[in-house]
Amino acid sequence: DVYSIDNHTILNTFYSAPLKEIIAVTNFKSNNLYAESIFRHLALLSVNHNATSAQSIDTIRGFWSQKGVDVSYMRLYDGCGLSPQGALPATTIVDMLVYMYKSDNYAPFRASLPLAGKEGTVAKFLKNTTLCGKAGVKSGSLSGTRAYAGYISVNGNDYAFAVMFNNFAVPSKEVVKIIEEWLVLDAK
């Protein structure tokens, strides 16, 4: 049954921050609670009660499929990316970033990504390199994984990128150094 407020008194109404502010905190601080909340809210776009994670996944897959992104290798389990059951190929992430670059929402989305070498979860990433402050980056990590995706701005051009390392057998510092060296070299 849908809950009705007809015979109740509303004591207070609270409105959330605008979505662009929520996304900014989600990406800038890697706020997994916000990411999971956004994910779960997406199911409400297709049903108005009893929303499930499966409905959120269907909504996400349907959206990106309609935008021409190949979702065949997209394995979603949760909204924050902390589950080892979830996986997105780097090519899928780059396709999403290219779509966002062309969308009307690019400016607030790009602003939500912290500048590498300067801010947020990537304050140390690409620091003391030629890309310091020139890349808006979202980082992701779990035990044995490191991932970075975003946009690099060089010579007046923006480039979308995604790079991931999984199941590595060296210290994560070495993996981050390899990723930084590759990005600096590739951005020339």
Side-chain angles (χ1 to χ4, degrees):
D1 290 328
V2 176
Y3 180 74
S4 172
I5 61 169
D6 292 339
N7 296 323
H8 297 81
T9 302
I10 297 174
L11 298 177
N12 193 7
T13 302
F14 178 80
Y15 295 97
S16 77
L19 184 58
K20 71 179 186 177
E21 291 177 24
I22 294 169
I23 297 295
V25 171
T26 304
N27 287 342
F28 196 86
K29 295 186 176 189
S30 248
N31 188 310
N32 292 321
L33 176 62
Y34 279 21
E36 190 66 24
S37 297
I38 293 166
F39 168 77
R40 293 184 179 274
H41 181 75
L42 290 175
L44 294 176
L45 298 176
S46 60
V47 298
N48 55 4
H49 67 285
N50 297 331
T52 66
S53 291
Q55 290 164 323
S56 292
I57 291 167
D58 288 345
T59 300
I60 292 167
R61 291 176 67 83
F63 175 85
W64 287 113
S65 181
Q66 287 177 351
K67 303 305 179 196
V69 173
D70 181 5
V71 298
S72 57
Y73 297 103
M74 181 185 284
R75 288 191 346 236
L76 298 176
Y77 184 80
D78 62 10
C80 60
L82 291 176
S83 172
Q85 286 90 0
L88 291 173
T91 55
T92 300
I93 293 172
V94 169
D95 288 345
M96 292 171 169
L97 289 168
V98 169
Y99 171 81
M100 289 303 298
Y101 184 81
K102 296 174 184 176
S103 84
D104 292 339
N105 295 310
Y106 175 69
F109 176 69
R110 176 67 187 255
S112 78
L113 300 173
L115 289 176
K118 302 226 178 234
E119 306 172 315
T121 59
V122 292
K124 293 180 183 176
F125 183 66
L126 294 171
K127 195 173 187 82
N128 302 319
T129 73
T130 57
L131 295 179
C132 181
K134 295 180 181 177
V137 181
K138 175 68 182 88
S139 63
S141 62
L142 289 171
S143 180
T145 67
R146 286 289 179 270
Y148 297 93
Y151 303 96
I152 294 175
S153 299
V154 290
N155 301 323
N157 296 306
D158 288 331
Y159 300 93
F161 76 94
V163 60
M164 303 172 190
F165 275 63
N166 294 303
N167 301 318
F168 47 84
V170 297
S172 60
K173 277 185 173 181
E174 289 183 40
V175 170
V176 171
K177 185 174 167 74
I178 291 167
I179 293 170
E180 289 175 321
E181 289 172 355
W182 177 76
L183 288 173
V184 168
L185 182 64
D186 199 50
K188 287 185 179 181

